[in-house]
Amino acid sequence: QVQLVESGGASVQAGGSLRLSCAASGDTISVGYMGWFRQAPGKEREGVADILSNGRARSADSVKGRFTISKDNAKKTLYLQMNSLKPEDTALYYCAADPDGRWMFTPRIDARDFDYWGQGTQVTVSS
């Protein structure tokens, strides 16, 4: 059983920055396929960024150039650095894991590729 615990969500003004963290149990961070998703009220869950087992990372077009996913294997923690935040970034942010790992990107960041989810951390951006 993989446990994921997010933290770092807050209320910020537009243009500000936040760093979300996701602490994972076992060796999930070092060998697993990890991702960040978000869901705003009334909207579908959206893939924000993902990182392969080999450390290659990508972000969705909606956040490209502003959000960066990374991981620290020693600290067993996944991060999402969010810069130049906009009101439309307001959502509940989740980290997700596939402990079996992945070494090649799929065409899109898809929630169906992940088996474990955290409880979410709220990000609110005001204009």
Side-chain angles (χ1 to χ4, degrees):
Q1 188 75 13
V2 174
Q3 293 184 327
L4 303 172
V5 180
E6 303 100 331
S7 62
S11 295
V12 298
Q13 290 192 328
S17 297
L18 283 174
R19 188 177 77 162
L20 305 184
S21 300
C22 173
S25 58
D27 57 1
T28 304
I29 294 293
S30 59
V31 303
Y33 170 48
M34 305 295 298
W36 284 100
F37 289 78
R38 66 185 181 185
Q39 188 165 20
K43 294 188 177 181
E44 293 186 355
R45 188 169 296 192
E46 174 191 14
V48 174
D50 59 351
I51 185 165
L52 298 173
S53 303
N54 56 20
R56 289 180 61 205
R58 66 178 171 177
S59 55
D61 288 343
S62 59
V63 303
K64 198 176 296 291
R66 301 189 297 121
F67 290 12
T68 303
I69 188 172
S70 63
K71 62 179 182 173
D72 186 323
N73 293 340
K75 294 183 178 180
K76 298 184 178 182
T77 302
L78 179 74
Y79 300 102
L80 184 68
Q81 178 66 43
M82 305 187 294
N83 299 327
S84 302
L85 283 161
K86 304 175 181 180
E88 51 262 44
D89 295 320
T90 295
L92 191 60
Y93 283 72
Y94 300 89
C95 72
D98 170 8
D100 292 333
R102 184 182 291 273
W103 285 264
M104 293 182 65
F105 287 122
T106 53
R108 57 186 292 267
I109 305 169
D110 193 327
R112 293 172 295 180
D113 291 328
F114 296 89
D115 303 307
Y116 296 94
W117 294 81
Q119 81 289 349
T121 187
Q122 180 67 39
V123 173
T124 302
V125 185
S126 58
S127 58

